[in-house]
Amino acid sequence: MEILVKDSIARVADRSRREFLQTAMLAAGASIVSMPVLARQSDRKLGVALVGLGSLSTNQIAPALQKTEHCRLAAIVTGTPAKAKAWSEKYSIAEKNIYNYGSFDRVADNPEIDVVYVVLPNSMHAEYTIRAARANKHVLCEKPMANSAKDCEAMIAACQKANRKLAIGYRLHFEPHNLEAKRLGQEKVLGKLRAIEAGFGFVIGDPTQWRLKKALAGGGALMDVGIYALQGARYVSGEEPIEVVAVETKTDPVKFKEVDETIYFTLRFPSGLLANCGTSYNAGFNRLWAGAEKGWFELSPAYSYGGIKGRMSGDKTISLPQVDQFASEMDDFALCIKNNKSSGVSGEEGLRDLRIIEAIYQSIASGKAVRLKAGG
Ligand code: NAD
């Protein structure tokens, strides 16, 4: 049996919010004459400043911005003049909307910028999020949120102080197959969950890249892609882990001198459910599986930019529309800003993951299970 979903959940939510707003305005006695002005304001595309024009910005985020309904690429922040020139020509970005890392704080004076999207090496996320909040901009920050839970807390505090919204680039929260896995697990469609297996790894290339330097990356495979397995276990179960035990191995101790190569970690949830999760920079795998009382379901690949596929017991496939996850993520954040709602992928969500990641590293270092406070 094929499960087909015509509209993405985000679009339905968007339409419902618009209808609700219109009904509320009419109920409040707003005149029909004043409505188009308000509608025009809410239809305005929010200006996004991209900070860091590396691989993700170039190949995924900038193309996705061209597909969004509620955002537009308004500005760029780069330390490389050649990139500034190429991007300004390709995306018609005015000279006044091009910044470097030194001039970045001047985004405060630019009303065309509503959102700063931080797409820098992990260690720089906290600094640029905090500077963006001080410049009175909303912030979308790539995963992992920061190199430590302490930095995450500082980022949340800076955005709260500036009354700006903060979201983390957890694109799979906008991907239909992952949303279906979340629904199957959380609504106990196949009964109570009994076990989860989640893993994401790939063979990393260039040994000189920042991802292999602890100061810039914070950690290795776990920080970069293991976080997807952790997220998967959390959103499929709908529970927060209370204990974690983890082991690490380095089959190439030279290449992975500073960061983790391969880690397996087991999460214990309050219901008694266990999730066995893996991650690697030296082996390719990409899977989210859950076994329940009356059957099982699986996404494989589960975490890619496209081509996500699912199966479930009873010889069923989970086949849903493939969407541009980055476009959906950015439109969702724009709607959160326009409708003054907090994001489902908020800074608090990023902080929860960093607390668990720190406990995983602590378990590896101590060789013991580490207890977590329920709810992160
Ligand atoms: P990248 O190496 O391709 O790009 C990094 C950018 O940061 C480059 O433009 C580089 O010039 C700039 N930079 C500024 N200061 C730097 C410094 N001191 N050292 C190195 N680079 C510096 O990396 P990327 O793949 O674009 O990743 C950027 C961020 O996006 C990371 O946090 C990563 O985890 C995240 N990411 C998320 C996804 C996702 O699916 N959501 C995918 C890939 C990367």
Side-chain angles (χ1 to χ4, degrees):
M1 187 190 80
E2 286 225 322
I3 303 166
L4 280 174
V5 173
K6 294 260 182 320
D7 283 335
S8 82
I9 288 166
R11 277 176 213 278
V12 174
D14 180 14
R15 200 168 50 240
S16 318
R17 273 195 285 268
R18 275 169 199 259
E19 285 164 5
F20 170 76
L21 193 65
Q22 280 175 3
T23 313
M25 284 168 65
L26 288 171
S31 80
I32 297 293
V33 181
S34 67
M35 279 181 66
V37 178
L38 282 168
R40 266 204 306 278
Q41 177 61 20
S42 75
D43 283 349
R44 180 183 157 261
K45 288 190 167 204
L46 299 189
V48 175
L50 271 187
V51 190
L53 306 182
S55 170
L56 187 68
S57 288
T58 305
N59 301 315
Q60 272 74 42
I61 299 174
L65 270 164
Q66 311 307 307
K67 301 181 204 161
T68 52
E69 275 181 54
H70 304 284
C71 305
R72 66 183 190 90
L73 178 57
I76 49 175
V77 184
T78 174
T80 313
K83 282 189 195 169
K85 185 170 180 296
W87 278 65
S88 69
E89 283 168 11
K90 184 165 184 185
Y91 293 111
S92 308
I93 297 166
E95 185 71 32
K96 67 180 175 52
N97 290 356
I98 300 174
Y99 299 85
N100 58 41
Y101 299 110
S103 65
F104 171 71
D105 301 293
R106 294 215 301 265
V107 298
D109 307 322
N110 191 334
E112 287 180 47
I113 300 171
D114 302 283
V115 175
V116 167
Y117 194 162
V118 181
V119 199
L120 291 165
N122 308 341
S123 65
M124 301 170 79
H125 292 182
E127 177 191 340
Y128 281 84
T129 295
I130 292 167
R131 283 168 72 179
R134 285 187 186 143
N136 217 30
K137 304 299 175 186
H138 302 285
V139 186
L140 186 50
C141 176
E142 262 311 324
K143 48 55 60 182
M145 182 170 169
N147 280 8
S148 68
K150 193 163 165 267
D151 278 354
C152 296
E153 285 163 4
M155 293 157 81
I156 293 169
C159 291
Q160 271 171 356
K161 189 172 174 205
N163 197 22
R164 299 291 88 183
K165 296 201 186 294
L166 171 60
I168 310 304
Y170 286 134
R171 57 185 166 78
L172 292 169
H173 286 244
F174 308 97
E175 196 288 313
H177 299 78
N178 278 266
L179 289 173
E180 177 63 1
K182 175 181 174 182
R183 185 187 75 83
L184 290 170
Q186 292 199 16
E187 294 182 12
K188 301 186 173 48
V189 174
L190 299 177
K192 283 186 194 156
L193 293 180
R194 296 290 195 228
I196 292 176
E197 287 178 15
F200 195 13
F202 70 101
V203 180
I204 199 162
D206 178 10
T208 65
Q209 63 186 288
W210 67 262
R211 280 183 167 79
L212 299 176
K213 299 195 187 336
K214 189 164 171 36
L216 284 164
L222 177 61
M223 293 284 280
D224 193 18
V225 289
I227 195 168
Y228 288 95
L230 170 59
Q231 276 272 306
R234 290 181 53 232
Y235 54 68
V236 164
S237 66
E239 295 186 53
E240 293 303 333
I242 50 170
E243 187 181 45
V244 64
V245 61
V247 285
E248 187 208 347
T249 187
K250 288 184 203 291
T251 63
D252 185 343
V254 177
K255 187 167 184 180
F256 302 103
K257 185 166 176 261
E258 295 190 29
V259 300
D260 45 282
E261 176 195 316
T262 300
I263 289 177
Y264 274 84
F265 57 97
T266 301
L267 304 166
R268 183 190 299 281
F269 292 100
S271 65
L273 172 72
L274 293 179
N276 197 20
C277 306
T279 185
S280 180
Y281 264 164
N282 223 358
F285 46 97
N286 187 333
R287 176 172 179 251
L288 177 56
W289 177 94
E293 285 171 302
K294 291 181 274 178
W296 55 269
F297 54 92
E298 176 187 52
L299 302 182
S300 179
Y303 316 106
S304 310
Y305 298 143
I308 295 176
K309 289 191 290 201
R311 302 184 301 143
M312 53 197 286
S313 46
D315 208 17
K316 296 173 186 169
T317 59
I318 303 171
S319 178
L320 297 165
Q322 300 291 335
V323 302
D324 188 313
Q325 299 162 23
F326 291 94
S328 303
E329 164 202 290
M330 289 187 277
D331 270 341
D332 180 82
F333 191 46
L335 287 172
C336 287
I337 293 165
K338 287 181 177 187
N339 298 322
N340 194 22
K341 296 212 161 171
S342 52
S343 165
V345 288
S346 62
E348 285 76 7
E349 178 68 6
L351 169 61
R352 276 180 212 115
D353 281 342
L354 256 297
R355 285 193 177 137
I356 300 164
I357 285 172
E358 286 183 347
I360 292 170
Y361 285 129
Q362 209 185 318
S363 173
I364 291 165
S366 67
K368 291 185 181 152
V370 174
R371 300 287 296 176
L372 286 152
K373 272 195 221 135

